[in-house]
Amino acid sequence: MSLTRRDFTRTSALTGAGVALAGTVASLATAPNALAATETESAGEESAAGQGGLGYGPLVPDPDGLLALPAGFSYRVITYSGRTKLESGEFTPSNHDGTSTFPGPRGATLLVNNHELKGPRANWAHPVPLTEGLVYDPAASGGCTVVEVRRDHVAEWVGIAGTSTNCAGGHTPWGTWLTGEETEDKAGQNGMTKDHGYVFEVDPADRRANRDPKPVKAFGRYAHEAVVVDPRRGQVYLTEDAAGPNGLFYRWTPPKGFEHGHGKLRTLADDAGTLQAFKCFDSGGRFVDDLSRATRIGTVYGVDWVDVPDRDARTTSVRKQFTDGQITRARKLEGMWWGDGGVYVVSSYAREESPVPHDGQVWFYDPARRTLTLKVRFGVNPDPSADGAFDGPDNITVSPYGGLVIAEDGEGVQHLFGATDSGRTYPIARNELNIGTAEAPEYSEFTGVTFSPDGSTLFANIQTPGIMLAITGPWKRQR
């Protein structure tokens, strides 16, 4: 049943048409007084001393020039493209991106690691190896590796190969990884021999289950980012990173009688279930054309869902199949994570292509209330080269210690940082690997932020050249 504008307006009036609509989910914000924040206030790094013990203190420069961490924390390099090797002898592929962890055998941690490699294999020094039986398109460079981490041993092997631009994805309730292709290349374009722009499933624990890769065409063909499965309702949420026009937030509803589980997605017909794009309206019932319109923390939109006409985009990209008044758009819809009974979803930034510029938003979609609430907003960072302010949120995870941990993909300095339930932010790590020059330094984005199943280790990647890191230390509850 859709949530009509009239229903949402009436509910808003009964609850004060404000942040009370956030329900039981604590409101993340950009400053301690964010519920009364002005439109120009934005999130930034806050000192632990000034915030009653917030975070873990200042970051200590790394003498090895890789990762600055708070005192008492340490890191371990798990994989490093061009240096570490797979079980089969090839070098670890480059361009690490979306990642998740899974419990492995005898206390090990398993990770599935995307490799965001686009176009022909000749373009990359270390593409994902074409392992027999695990290849979708032999012309494509990307894919996923599976990494097994023990206290004194690391092993890595190919989970899927021959896919393109594997950016984000998502962990399923049944213990597999859904990897999304952030491309719309068709066979014959950019050297490809098959159509791309799909989601694929990778099982970290059963290598046989990954043989003969099959795209989940029911989820649509577009520039996929993250994927989240509602463990109660079985619906799947998907983000699209695209512009000209801006991308969409999607929901896939399974066909009647379908039950998720190992191998079940492979059985779906290409047109199974219903793929829809979101449409938002404010408490006054007015249509919202773009999420960048929201400038105040606690903004709540009602959400309805509109059927996608041609999910395989045979002649027209999915996002271009709608007129501007039919759906809501947003720039750089990227990371997502399920937590607190709903979906945390990121819009990394907005510029001139959007109605209102910003340097990042984090939203929370509540499927029970069918509302979307703005939790964190970053104003445009005036000086990205200066350490301090955060911008460009991308991959996110819900922390076992409260709030969110966010991977930064902005301009200039790059961080891992936390955001508490009250909205305060604090640094966790800073990338110190300069891939530019001394005169013009450049630092790659962080990706794939995720905790180990027991919560003791935070894994994250530096995308370029492709480094997976395991961070440990005196984690504590953040409020």
Side-chain angles (χ1 to χ4, degrees), residues 65-353:
L66 183 56
L67 193 70
L69 294 169
F73 283 77
S74 61
Y75 68 86
R76 174 186 175 193
V77 173
I78 302 300
T79 66
Y80 198 128
S81 182
R83 296 186 185 182
T84 57
K85 291 188 175 183
L86 308 180
E87 287 183 342
S88 50
E90 300 96 340
F91 283 115
T92 293
S94 63
N95 292 59
H96 295 29
D97 212 295
T99 306
S100 190
T101 62
F102 307 82
R106 298 179 297 281
T109 296
L110 296 175
L111 301 98
V112 182
N113 184 200
N114 279 359
H115 297 277
E116 190 181 14
L117 299 163
K118 181 179 176 66
R121 299 180 62 80
N123 290 355
W124 302 98
H126 302 297
V128 177
L130 298 177
T131 302
E132 183 181 359
L134 301 178
V135 180
Y136 170 65
D137 180 353
S141 307
C144 300
T145 53
V146 180
V147 183
E148 183 181 74
V149 179
R150 299 181 183 275
R151 186 183 302 273
D152 57 356
H153 178 71
V154 173
E156 185 178 16
W157 59 90
V158 173
I160 187 173
T163 52
S164 177
T165 328
N166 297 73
C167 195
H171 186 295
T172 70
W174 55 94
T176 62
W177 171 252
L178 298 176
T179 180
E181 295 185 300
E182 189 194 343
T183 180
E184 296 181 58
D185 285 345
K186 290 185 175 182
Q189 295 179 331
N190 211 12
M192 299 298 99
T193 65
K194 291 186 177 181
D195 291 349
H196 291 268
Y198 296 115
V199 171
F200 295 79
E201 186 171 25
V202 177
D203 192 323
D206 184 356
R207 302 192 194 198
R208 294 172 299 177
N210 298 327
R211 297 189 66 81
D212 302 318
K214 179 183 178 183
V216 186
K217 293 188 175 182
F219 292 171
R221 195 181 71 81
Y222 46 89
H224 283 277
E225 274 284 344
V227 187
V228 164
V229 181
D230 182 334
R232 177 183 173 190
R233 300 168 184 83
Q235 292 170 320
V236 179
Y237 295 91
L238 309 104
T239 50
E240 177 183 31
D241 180 3
N246 284 345
L248 307 178
F249 181 41
Y250 298 94
R251 182 184 73 178
W252 179 79
T253 300
K256 185 176 181 180
F258 178 79
E259 293 185 4
H260 286 291
H262 288 276
K264 296 295 184 65
L265 294 178
R266 295 177 67 97
T267 69
L268 288 169
D270 293 349
D271 60 352
T274 305
L275 184 67
Q276 299 171 304
F278 79 150
K279 181 179 184 179
C280 297
F281 43 92
D282 66 17
S283 59
R286 294 175 291 269
F287 167 68
V288 179
D289 63 336
D290 194 283
L291 290 186
S292 69
R293 297 280 186 192
T295 59
R296 293 182 181 273
I297 300 308
T299 295
V300 182
Y301 293 146
V303 176
D304 211 344
W305 297 93
V306 183
D307 288 356
V308 170
D310 172 22
R311 73 182 78 185
D312 204 47
R314 288 182 291 271
T315 59
T316 305
S317 296
V318 172
R319 71 186 185 284
K320 297 179 180 179
Q321 295 172 24
F322 298 96
T323 61
D324 286 340
Q326 290 180 295
I327 41 76
T328 299
R329 302 186 185 277
R331 184 73 172 100
K332 295 290 287 182
L333 287 169
E334 301 216 29
M336 287 195 296
W337 201 270
W338 180 270
D340 303 322
V343 184
Y344 288 96
V345 57
V346 167
S347 170
S348 288
Y349 64 77
R351 292 292 184 266
E352 66 279 354
E353 79 290 325

